[in-house]
Amino acid sequence: MNSRAILPGVQGAVGLANDLWRGHVLTVDGVRAKSEGGFYLLPGTDGQPVKAKLKGRYFTDQSVLTIGDASYATGEPSPPFLFIIAFLPVLFLFGGNPFAVALAAVGVFVNFWVIRAQRAEAWKSMTILGLFVGGVLLMAIWAFVSSWVMSLLPH
């Protein structure tokens, strides 16, 4: 399935929207599909809603759409290099403080959002690496500020 595909039994073109908080979200003719009980209700060709399940919404590059017994891939798999660099923020855990843990978690979450974007691999790679460099700068600022604050405390 590409970004807008015609699927059997579904009235309209089914597509994906990449939402930061919701992960992949199904759309039909550009309108967000209704969801109920973990299933998306897509308009059927016979007038009855078609139940669809979207698996792998957050920590995958491409989700799998399941309608009945049929499964549809939502795109081409990303190269392994993107997954490797997506976990670069885990290196912040060596900072050993709560700020580093939060920055690592947010960094990996945002990197997977970038991987799911409908962009070229070069854009994704540069964005992920740029975010990592930004995180390194934030860690350096955090180290400077926290050591400065600690030096002001009485010994």
Side-chain angles (χ1 to χ4, degrees), residues 68-108:
D69 293 333
S71 294
Y72 304 94
T74 59
E76 296 295 320
S78 296
F81 174 73
L82 284 178
F83 290 103
I84 292 169
I85 65 173
F87 284 99
L88 279 175
V90 172
L91 296 174
F92 295 141
L93 295 177
F94 288 111
N97 59 58
F99 180 74
V101 172
L103 192 59
V106 169
V108 170

PDB file of all heavy atoms in Angstrom, residues 68-108:
ATOM      1  N   GLY A  68      -9.691  -7.939   7.759  1.00  0.00           N
ATOM      2  CA  GLY A  68     -10.090  -9.347   7.714  1.00  0.00           C
ATOM      3  C   GLY A  68      -8.858 -10.226   7.836  1.00  0.00           C
ATOM      4  O   GLY A  68      -8.089 -10.121   8.774  1.00  0.00           O
ATOM      5  N   ASP A  69      -8.659 -11.099   6.850  1.00  0.00           N
ATOM      6  CA  ASP A  69      -7.497 -11.985   6.840  1.00  0.00           C
ATOM      7  C   ASP A  69      -6.371 -11.453   5.973  1.00  0.00           C
ATOM      8  O   ASP A  69      -5.300 -12.055   5.903  1.00  0.00           O
ATOM      9  CB  ASP A  69      -7.897 -13.377   6.335  1.00  0.00           C
ATOM     10  CG  ASP A  69      -8.835 -14.083   7.297  1.00  0.00           C
ATOM     11  OD1 ASP A  69      -8.777 -13.773   8.507  1.00  0.00           O
ATOM     12  OD2 ASP A  69      -9.619 -14.937   6.843  1.00  0.00           O
ATOM     13  N   ALA A  70      -6.597 -10.346   5.288  1.00  0.00           N
ATOM     14  CA  ALA A  70      -5.594  -9.794   4.368  1.00  0.00           C
ATOM     15  C   ALA A  70      -4.764  -8.723   5.072  1.00  0.00           C
ATOM     16  O   ALA A  70      -5.293  -7.897   5.810  1.00  0.00           O
ATOM     17  CB  ALA A  70      -6.269  -9.204   3.145  1.00  0.00           C
ATOM     18  N   SER A  71      -3.462  -8.746   4.830  1.00  0.00           N
ATOM     19  CA  SER A  71      -2.549  -7.745   5.382  1.00  0.00           C
ATOM     20  C   SER A  71      -1.902  -6.984   4.243  1.00  0.00           C
ATOM     21  O   SER A  71      -1.565  -7.558   3.209  1.00  0.00           O
ATOM     22  CB  SER A  71      -1.466  -8.403   6.229  1.00  0.00           C
ATOM     23  OG  SER A  71      -2.031  -8.994   7.370  1.00  0.00           O
ATOM     24  N   TYR A  72      -1.726  -5.683   4.437  1.00  0.00           N
ATOM     25  CA  TYR A  72      -1.152  -4.815   3.418  1.00  0.00           C
ATOM     26  C   TYR A  72      -0.002  -4.028   4.030  1.00  0.00           C
ATOM     27  O   TYR A  72      -0.161  -3.394   5.075  1.00  0.00           O
ATOM     28  CB  TYR A  72      -2.208  -3.830   2.885  1.00  0.00           C
ATOM     29  CG  TYR A  72      -3.443  -4.510   2.351  1.00  0.00           C
ATOM     30  CD1 TYR A  72      -4.553  -4.709   3.163  1.00  0.00           C
ATOM     31  CD2 TYR A  72      -3.491  -4.964   1.043  1.00  0.00           C
ATOM     32  CE1 TYR A  72      -5.682  -5.338   2.681  1.00  0.00           C
ATOM     33  CE2 TYR A  72      -4.628  -5.591   0.544  1.00  0.00           C
ATOM     34  CZ  TYR A  72      -5.721  -5.775   1.372  1.00  0.00           C
ATOM     35  OH  TYR A  72      -6.834  -6.401   0.889  1.00  0.00           O
ATOM     36  N   ALA A  73       1.148  -4.088   3.363  1.00  0.00           N
ATOM     37  CA  ALA A  73       2.283  -3.274   3.801  1.00  0.00           C
ATOM     38  C   ALA A  73       2.001  -1.830   3.420  1.00  0.00           C
ATOM     39  O   ALA A  73       1.426  -1.555   2.368  1.00  0.00           O
ATOM     40  CB  ALA A  73       3.566  -3.756   3.133  1.00  0.00           C
ATOM     41  N   THR A  74       2.383  -0.913   4.276  1.00  0.00           N
ATOM     42  CA  THR A  74       2.077   0.497   4.019  1.00  0.00           C
ATOM     43  C   THR A  74       3.213   1.241   3.332  1.00  0.00           C
ATOM     44  O   THR A  74       3.129   2.445   3.153  1.00  0.00           O
ATOM     45  CB  THR A  74       1.716   1.222   5.325  1.00  0.00           C
ATOM     46  OG1 THR A  74       2.812   1.107   6.221  1.00  0.00           O
ATOM     47  CG2 THR A  74       0.470   0.628   5.952  1.00  0.00           C
ATOM     48  N   GLY A  75       4.264   0.529   2.976  1.00  0.00           N
ATOM     49  CA  GLY A  75       5.369   1.182   2.287  1.00  0.00           C
ATOM     50  C   GLY A  75       6.586   0.291   2.248  1.00  0.00           C
ATOM     51  O   GLY A  75       6.582  -0.833   2.747  1.00  0.00           O
ATOM     52  N   GLU A  76       7.620   0.808   1.643  1.00  0.00           N
ATOM     53  CA  GLU A  76       8.880   0.078   1.559  1.00  0.00           C
ATOM     54  C   GLU A  76       9.614   0.170   2.899  1.00  0.00           C
ATOM     55  O   GLU A  76       9.579   1.205   3.553  1.00  0.00           O
ATOM     56  CB  GLU A  76       9.759   0.671   0.455  1.00  0.00           C
ATOM     57  CG  GLU A  76       9.167   0.528  -0.928  1.00  0.00           C
ATOM     58  CD  GLU A  76       9.065  -0.920  -1.362  1.00  0.00           C
ATOM     59  OE1 GLU A  76      10.004  -1.692  -1.081  1.00  0.00           O
ATOM     60  OE2 GLU A  76       8.038  -1.274  -1.950  1.00  0.00           O
ATOM     61  N   PRO A  77      10.310  -0.896   3.288  1.00  0.00           N
ATOM     62  CA  PRO A  77      11.075  -0.825   4.538  1.00  0.00           C
ATOM     63  C   PRO A  77      12.243   0.153   4.430  1.00  0.00           C
ATOM     64  O   PRO A  77      12.822   0.327   3.365  1.00  0.00           O
ATOM     65  CB  PRO A  77      11.570  -2.256   4.743  1.00  0.00           C
ATOM     66  CG  PRO A  77      11.447  -2.918   3.424  1.00  0.00           C
ATOM     67  CD  PRO A  77      10.386  -2.200   2.656  1.00  0.00           C
ATOM     68  N   SER A  78      12.552   0.793   5.526  1.00  0.00           N
ATOM     69  CA  SER A  78      13.672   1.740   5.571  1.00  0.00           C
ATOM     70  C   SER A  78      14.982   0.968   5.687  1.00  0.00           C
ATOM     71  O   SER A  78      15.017  -0.143   6.215  1.00  0.00           O
ATOM     72  CB  SER A  78      13.533   2.681   6.765  1.00  0.00           C
ATOM     73  OG  SER A  78      12.390   3.476   6.620  1.00  0.00           O
ATOM     74  N   PRO A  79      16.077   1.576   5.237  1.00  0.00           N
ATOM     75  CA  PRO A  79      17.373   0.893   5.362  1.00  0.00           C
ATOM     76  C   PRO A  79      17.790   0.762   6.832  1.00  0.00           C
ATOM     77  O   PRO A  79      17.442   1.608   7.655  1.00  0.00           O
ATOM     78  CB  PRO A  79      18.335   1.801   4.595  1.00  0.00           C
ATOM     79  CG  PRO A  79      17.638   3.084   4.423  1.00  0.00           C
ATOM     80  CD  PRO A  79      16.179   2.845   4.537  1.00  0.00           C
ATOM     81  N   PRO A  80      18.528  -0.301   7.152  1.00  0.00           N
ATOM     82  CA  PRO A  80      18.948  -0.531   8.551  1.00  0.00           C
ATOM     83  C   PRO A  80      19.757   0.629   9.128  1.00  0.00           C
ATOM     84  O   PRO A  80      19.722   0.864  10.335  1.00  0.00           O
ATOM     85  CB  PRO A  80      19.796  -1.798   8.481  1.00  0.00           C
ATOM     86  CG  PRO A  80      19.395  -2.462   7.218  1.00  0.00           C
ATOM     87  CD  PRO A  80      18.950  -1.392   6.279  1.00  0.00           C
ATOM     88  N   PHE A  81      20.464   1.366   8.285  1.00  0.00           N
ATOM     89  CA  PHE A  81      21.266   2.491   8.765  1.00  0.00           C
ATOM     90  C   PHE A  81      20.415   3.500   9.529  1.00  0.00           C
ATOM     91  O   PHE A  81      20.847   4.035  10.549  1.00  0.00           O
ATOM     92  CB  PHE A  81      21.956   3.170   7.573  1.00  0.00           C
ATOM     93  CG  PHE A  81      22.683   4.424   7.934  1.00  0.00           C
ATOM     94  CD1 PHE A  81      23.871   4.363   8.647  1.00  0.00           C
ATOM     95  CD2 PHE A  81      22.185   5.673   7.591  1.00  0.00           C
ATOM     96  CE1 PHE A  81      24.545   5.518   8.996  1.00  0.00           C
ATOM     97  CE2 PHE A  81      22.852   6.830   7.935  1.00  0.00           C
ATOM     98  CZ  PHE A  81      24.037   6.752   8.641  1.00  0.00           C
ATOM     99  N   LEU A  82      19.191   3.736   9.063  1.00  0.00           N
ATOM    100  CA  LEU A  82      18.317   4.700   9.753  1.00  0.00           C
ATOM    101  C   LEU A  82      17.963   4.221  11.154  1.00  0.00           C
ATOM    102  O   LEU A  82      17.880   5.018  12.085  1.00  0.00           O
ATOM    103  CB  LEU A  82      17.046   4.945   8.944  1.00  0.00           C
ATOM    104  CG  LEU A  82      17.182   5.830   7.721  1.00  0.00           C
ATOM    105  CD1 LEU A  82      15.854   5.945   6.996  1.00  0.00           C
ATOM    106  CD2 LEU A  82      17.690   7.204   8.098  1.00  0.00           C
ATOM    107  N   PHE A  83      17.759   2.920  11.310  1.00  0.00           N
ATOM    108  CA  PHE A  83      17.438   2.396  12.642  1.00  0.00           C
ATOM    109  C   PHE A  83      18.635   2.499  13.578  1.00  0.00           C
ATOM    110  O   PHE A  83      18.480   2.752  14.764  1.00  0.00           O
ATOM    111  CB  PHE A  83      16.961   0.944  12.547  1.00  0.00           C
ATOM    112  CG  PHE A  83      15.613   0.825  11.910  1.00  0.00           C
ATOM    113  CD1 PHE A  83      15.499   0.416  10.599  1.00  0.00           C
ATOM    114  CD2 PHE A  83      14.482   1.155  12.617  1.00  0.00           C
ATOM    115  CE1 PHE A  83      14.254   0.317  10.005  1.00  0.00           C
ATOM    116  CE2 PHE A  83      13.233   1.063  12.036  1.00  0.00           C
ATOM    117  CZ  PHE A  83      13.120   0.641  10.722  1.00  0.00           C
ATOM    118  N   ILE A  84      19.818   2.296  13.031  1.00  0.00           N
ATOM    119  CA  ILE A  84      21.023   2.390  13.859  1.00  0.00           C
ATOM    120  C   ILE A  84      21.194   3.818  14.379  1.00  0.00           C
ATOM    121  O   ILE A  84      21.395   4.024  15.582  1.00  0.00           O
ATOM    122  CB  ILE A  84      22.262   1.926  13.064  1.00  0.00           C
ATOM    123  CG1 ILE A  84      22.164   0.432  12.787  1.00  0.00           C
ATOM    124  CG2 ILE A  84      23.550   2.256  13.815  1.00  0.00           C
ATOM    125  CD1 ILE A  84      23.172  -0.084  11.796  1.00  0.00           C
ATOM    126  N   ILE A  85      21.098   4.798  13.486  1.00  0.00           N
ATOM    127  CA  ILE A  85      21.303   6.178  13.938  1.00  0.00           C
ATOM    128  C   ILE A  85      20.115   6.703  14.736  1.00  0.00           C
ATOM    129  O   ILE A  85      20.263   7.660  15.490  1.00  0.00           O
ATOM    130  CB  ILE A  85      21.666   7.128  12.775  1.00  0.00           C
ATOM    131  CG1 ILE A  85      20.527   7.260  11.774  1.00  0.00           C
ATOM    132  CG2 ILE A  85      22.949   6.698  12.105  1.00  0.00           C
ATOM    133  CD1 ILE A  85      20.755   8.307  10.699  1.00  0.00           C
ATOM    134  N   ALA A  86      18.947   6.059  14.603  1.00  0.00           N
ATOM    135  CA  ALA A  86      17.788   6.486  15.399  1.00  0.00           C
ATOM    136  C   ALA A  86      18.020   6.259  16.886  1.00  0.00           C
ATOM    137  O   ALA A  86      17.444   6.953  17.724  1.00  0.00           O
ATOM    138  CB  ALA A  86      16.526   5.760  14.950  1.00  0.00           C
ATOM    139  N   PHE A  87      18.885   5.292  17.220  1.00  0.00           N
ATOM    140  CA  PHE A  87      19.170   4.991  18.622  1.00  0.00           C
ATOM    141  C   PHE A  87      20.402   5.709  19.150  1.00  0.00           C
ATOM    142  O   PHE A  87      20.838   5.432  20.269  1.00  0.00           O
ATOM    143  CB  PHE A  87      19.290   3.477  18.825  1.00  0.00           C
ATOM    144  CG  PHE A  87      17.965   2.777  18.819  1.00  0.00           C
ATOM    145  CD1 PHE A  87      17.512   2.136  17.678  1.00  0.00           C
ATOM    146  CD2 PHE A  87      17.157   2.798  19.941  1.00  0.00           C
ATOM    147  CE1 PHE A  87      16.282   1.502  17.662  1.00  0.00           C
ATOM    148  CE2 PHE A  87      15.925   2.167  19.940  1.00  0.00           C
ATOM    149  CZ  PHE A  87      15.484   1.516  18.795  1.00  0.00           C
ATOM    150  N   LEU A  88      20.959   6.643  18.393  1.00  0.00           N
ATOM    151  CA  LEU A  88      22.092   7.425  18.888  1.00  0.00           C
ATOM    152  C   LEU A  88      21.793   8.155  20.203  1.00  0.00           C
ATOM    153  O   LEU A  88      22.666   8.240  21.065  1.00  0.00           O
ATOM    154  CB  LEU A  88      22.556   8.425  17.832  1.00  0.00           C
ATOM    155  CG  LEU A  88      23.461   7.891  16.736  1.00  0.00           C
ATOM    156  CD1 LEU A  88      23.735   8.975  15.699  1.00  0.00           C
ATOM    157  CD2 LEU A  88      24.758   7.375  17.307  1.00  0.00           C
ATOM    158  N   PRO A  89      20.577   8.680  20.407  1.00  0.00           N
ATOM    159  CA  PRO A  89      20.309   9.356  21.689  1.00  0.00           C
ATOM    160  C   PRO A  89      20.459   8.462  22.916  1.00  0.00           C
ATOM    161  O   PRO A  89      20.587   8.969  24.025  1.00  0.00           O
ATOM    162  CB  PRO A  89      18.860   9.837  21.537  1.00  0.00           C
ATOM    163  CG  PRO A  89      18.671  10.000  20.079  1.00  0.00           C
ATOM    164  CD  PRO A  89      19.475   8.893  19.460  1.00  0.00           C
ATOM    165  N   VAL A  90      20.472   7.150  22.739  1.00  0.00           N
ATOM    166  CA  VAL A  90      20.691   6.256  23.879  1.00  0.00           C
ATOM    167  C   VAL A  90      22.058   6.528  24.509  1.00  0.00           C
ATOM    168  O   VAL A  90      22.254   6.324  25.714  1.00  0.00           O
ATOM    169  CB  VAL A  90      20.543   4.781  23.431  1.00  0.00           C
ATOM    170  CG1 VAL A  90      20.954   3.816  24.524  1.00  0.00           C
ATOM    171  CG2 VAL A  90      19.108   4.517  23.010  1.00  0.00           C
ATOM    172  N   LEU A  91      22.995   7.043  23.729  1.00  0.00           N
ATOM    173  CA  LEU A  91      24.319   7.383  24.267  1.00  0.00           C
ATOM    174  C   LEU A  91      24.238   8.453  25.354  1.00  0.00           C
ATOM    175  O   LEU A  91      25.143   8.560  26.181  1.00  0.00           O
ATOM    176  CB  LEU A  91      25.246   7.848  23.142  1.00  0.00           C
ATOM    177  CG  LEU A  91      25.589   6.801  22.080  1.00  0.00           C
ATOM    178  CD1 LEU A  91      26.379   7.444  20.954  1.00  0.00           C
ATOM    179  CD2 LEU A  91      26.355   5.656  22.707  1.00  0.00           C
ATOM    180  N   PHE A  92      23.171   9.239  25.372  1.00  0.00           N
ATOM    181  CA  PHE A  92      23.008  10.258  26.405  1.00  0.00           C
ATOM    182  C   PHE A  92      22.854   9.635  27.784  1.00  0.00           C
ATOM    183  O   PHE A  92      23.069  10.306  28.797  1.00  0.00           O
ATOM    184  CB  PHE A  92      21.815  11.168  26.115  1.00  0.00           C
ATOM    185  CG  PHE A  92      21.960  11.995  24.876  1.00  0.00           C
ATOM    186  CD1 PHE A  92      20.881  12.218  24.038  1.00  0.00           C
ATOM    187  CD2 PHE A  92      23.169  12.571  24.546  1.00  0.00           C
ATOM    188  CE1 PHE A  92      21.009  12.983  22.901  1.00  0.00           C
ATOM    189  CE2 PHE A  92      23.314  13.338  23.402  1.00  0.00           C
ATOM    190  CZ  PHE A  92      22.228  13.546  22.577  1.00  0.00           C
ATOM    191  N   LEU A  93      22.472   8.368  27.845  1.00  0.00           N
ATOM    192  CA  LEU A  93      22.312   7.703  29.140  1.00  0.00           C
ATOM    193  C   LEU A  93      23.624   7.645  29.913  1.00  0.00           C
ATOM    194  O   LEU A  93      23.620   7.515  31.133  1.00  0.00           O
ATOM    195  CB  LEU A  93      21.752   6.294  28.946  1.00  0.00           C
ATOM    196  CG  LEU A  93      20.329   6.227  28.377  1.00  0.00           C
ATOM    197  CD1 LEU A  93      19.929   4.779  28.158  1.00  0.00           C
ATOM    198  CD2 LEU A  93      19.353   6.935  29.293  1.00  0.00           C
ATOM    199  N   PHE A  94      24.751   7.752  29.200  1.00  0.00           N
ATOM    200  CA  PHE A  94      26.036   7.784  29.889  1.00  0.00           C
ATOM    201  C   PHE A  94      26.214   9.069  30.699  1.00  0.00           C
ATOM    202  O   PHE A  94      27.126   9.158  31.506  1.00  0.00           O
ATOM    203  CB  PHE A  94      27.198   7.619  28.898  1.00  0.00           C
ATOM    204  CG  PHE A  94      27.313   6.242  28.345  1.00  0.00           C
ATOM    205  CD1 PHE A  94      27.038   5.988  27.012  1.00  0.00           C
ATOM    206  CD2 PHE A  94      27.679   5.183  29.162  1.00  0.00           C
ATOM    207  CE1 PHE A  94      27.134   4.712  26.499  1.00  0.00           C
ATOM    208  CE2 PHE A  94      27.780   3.896  28.662  1.00  0.00           C
ATOM    209  CZ  PHE A  94      27.507   3.655  27.321  1.00  0.00           C
ATOM    210  N   GLY A  95      25.337  10.052  30.476  1.00  0.00           N
ATOM    211  CA  GLY A  95      25.375  11.281  31.267  1.00  0.00           C
ATOM    212  C   GLY A  95      25.009  11.024  32.713  1.00  0.00           C
ATOM    213  O   GLY A  95      25.417  11.762  33.611  1.00  0.00           O
ATOM    214  N   GLY A  96      24.222   9.981  32.970  1.00  0.00           N
ATOM    215  CA  GLY A  96      23.933   9.552  34.337  1.00  0.00           C
ATOM    216  C   GLY A  96      23.086  10.513  35.137  1.00  0.00           C
ATOM    217  O   GLY A  96      23.219  10.557  36.360  1.00  0.00           O
ATOM    218  N   ASN A  97      22.217  11.273  34.506  1.00  0.00           N
ATOM    219  CA  ASN A  97      21.336  12.165  35.252  1.00  0.00           C
ATOM    220  C   ASN A  97      19.940  12.118  34.642  1.00  0.00           C
ATOM    221  O   ASN A  97      19.759  11.634  33.526  1.00  0.00           O
ATOM    222  CB  ASN A  97      21.905  13.600  35.281  1.00  0.00           C
ATOM    223  CG  ASN A  97      22.090  14.171  33.891  1.00  0.00           C
ATOM    224  OD1 ASN A  97      21.150  14.253  33.126  1.00  0.00           O
ATOM    225  ND2 ASN A  97      23.310  14.588  33.566  1.00  0.00           N
ATOM    226  N   PRO A  98      18.941  12.604  35.358  1.00  0.00           N
ATOM    227  CA  PRO A  98      17.565  12.547  34.847  1.00  0.00           C
ATOM    228  C   PRO A  98      17.379  13.311  33.532  1.00  0.00           C
ATOM    229  O   PRO A  98      16.588  12.893  32.681  1.00  0.00           O
ATOM    230  CB  PRO A  98      16.728  13.178  35.964  1.00  0.00           C
ATOM    231  CG  PRO A  98      17.548  13.030  37.187  1.00  0.00           C
ATOM    232  CD  PRO A  98      18.970  13.094  36.749  1.00  0.00           C
ATOM    233  N   PHE A  99      18.100  14.400  33.352  1.00  0.00           N
ATOM    234  CA  PHE A  99      17.998  15.151  32.103  1.00  0.00           C
ATOM    235  C   PHE A  99      18.460  14.294  30.923  1.00  0.00           C
ATOM    236  O   PHE A  99      17.847  14.297  29.856  1.00  0.00           O
ATOM    237  CB  PHE A  99      18.822  16.442  32.185  1.00  0.00           C
ATOM    238  CG  PHE A  99      18.764  17.271  30.941  1.00  0.00           C
ATOM    239  CD1 PHE A  99      17.631  17.995  30.619  1.00  0.00           C
ATOM    240  CD2 PHE A  99      19.856  17.321  30.085  1.00  0.00           C
ATOM    241  CE1 PHE A  99      17.576  18.757  29.465  1.00  0.00           C
ATOM    242  CE2 PHE A  99      19.818  18.077  28.933  1.00  0.00           C
ATOM    243  CZ  PHE A  99      18.672  18.807  28.616  1.00  0.00           C
ATOM    244  N   ALA A 100      19.526  13.532  31.117  1.00  0.00           N
ATOM    245  CA  ALA A 100      20.054  12.661  30.059  1.00  0.00           C
ATOM    246  C   ALA A 100      19.061  11.554  29.716  1.00  0.00           C
ATOM    247  O   ALA A 100      18.871  11.222  28.544  1.00  0.00           O
ATOM    248  CB  ALA A 100      21.393  12.071  30.478  1.00  0.00           C
ATOM    249  N   VAL A 101      18.419  10.997  30.732  1.00  0.00           N
ATOM    250  CA  VAL A 101      17.429   9.938  30.503  1.00  0.00           C
ATOM    251  C   VAL A 101      16.254  10.496  29.703  1.00  0.00           C
ATOM    252  O   VAL A 101      15.792   9.873  28.729  1.00  0.00           O
ATOM    253  CB  VAL A 101      16.962   9.334  31.843  1.00  0.00           C
ATOM    254  CG1 VAL A 101      15.797   8.382  31.645  1.00  0.00           C
ATOM    255  CG2 VAL A 101      18.115   8.643  32.539  1.00  0.00           C
ATOM    256  N   ALA A 102      15.763  11.666  30.095  1.00  0.00           N
ATOM    257  CA  ALA A 102      14.645  12.283  29.380  1.00  0.00           C
ATOM    258  C   ALA A 102      15.035  12.625  27.944  1.00  0.00           C
ATOM    259  O   ALA A 102      14.263  12.391  27.009  1.00  0.00           O
ATOM    260  CB  ALA A 102      14.181  13.538  30.119  1.00  0.00           C
ATOM    261  N   LEU A 103      16.224  13.160  27.761  1.00  0.00           N
ATOM    262  CA  LEU A 103      16.687  13.522  26.422  1.00  0.00           C
ATOM    263  C   LEU A 103      16.842  12.285  25.545  1.00  0.00           C
ATOM    264  O   LEU A 103      16.505  12.307  24.359  1.00  0.00           O
ATOM    265  CB  LEU A 103      18.000  14.293  26.510  1.00  0.00           C
ATOM    266  CG  LEU A 103      18.480  14.980  25.244  1.00  0.00           C
ATOM    267  CD1 LEU A 103      17.457  15.981  24.743  1.00  0.00           C
ATOM    268  CD2 LEU A 103      19.810  15.662  25.494  1.00  0.00           C
ATOM    269  N   ALA A 104      17.312  11.181  26.106  1.00  0.00           N
ATOM    270  CA  ALA A 104      17.451   9.941  25.343  1.00  0.00           C
ATOM    271  C   ALA A 104      16.086   9.405  24.916  1.00  0.00           C
ATOM    272  O   ALA A 104      15.895   9.025  23.753  1.00  0.00           O
ATOM    273  CB  ALA A 104      18.194   8.903  26.170  1.00  0.00           C
ATOM    274  N   ALA A 105      15.136   9.388  25.832  1.00  0.00           N
ATOM    275  CA  ALA A 105      13.804   8.873  25.508  1.00  0.00           C
ATOM    276  C   ALA A 105      13.113   9.727  24.455  1.00  0.00           C
ATOM    277  O   ALA A 105      12.562   9.206  23.475  1.00  0.00           O
ATOM    278  CB  ALA A 105      12.953   8.808  26.778  1.00  0.00           C
ATOM    279  N   VAL A 106      13.138  11.033  24.643  1.00  0.00           N
ATOM    280  CA  VAL A 106      12.516  11.937  23.667  1.00  0.00           C
ATOM    281  C   VAL A 106      13.229  11.849  22.322  1.00  0.00           C
ATOM    282  O   VAL A 106      12.594  11.851  21.263  1.00  0.00           O
ATOM    283  CB  VAL A 106      12.507  13.385  24.210  1.00  0.00           C
ATOM    284  CG1 VAL A 106      12.115  14.378  23.124  1.00  0.00           C
ATOM    285  CG2 VAL A 106      11.564  13.492  25.392  1.00  0.00           C
ATOM    286  N   GLY A 107      14.549  11.727  22.354  1.00  0.00           N
ATOM    287  CA  GLY A 107      15.317  11.642  21.119  1.00  0.00           C
ATOM    288  C   GLY A 107      14.955  10.422  20.289  1.00  0.00           C
ATOM    289  O   GLY A 107      14.747  10.523  19.074  1.00  0.00           O
ATOM    290  N   VAL A 108      14.861   9.250  20.913  1.00  0.00           N
ATOM    291  CA  VAL A 108      14.498   8.037  20.177  1.00  0.00           C
ATOM    292  C   VAL A 108      13.063   8.151  19.654  1.00  0.00           C
ATOM    293  O   VAL A 108      12.777   7.794  18.504  1.00  0.00           O
ATOM    294  CB  VAL A 108      14.677   6.788  21.062  1.00  0.00           C
ATOM    295  CG1 VAL A 108      14.086   5.546  20.404  1.00  0.00           C
ATOM    296  CG2 VAL A 108      16.149   6.573  21.375  1.00  0.00           C
TER     297      VAL A 108
END
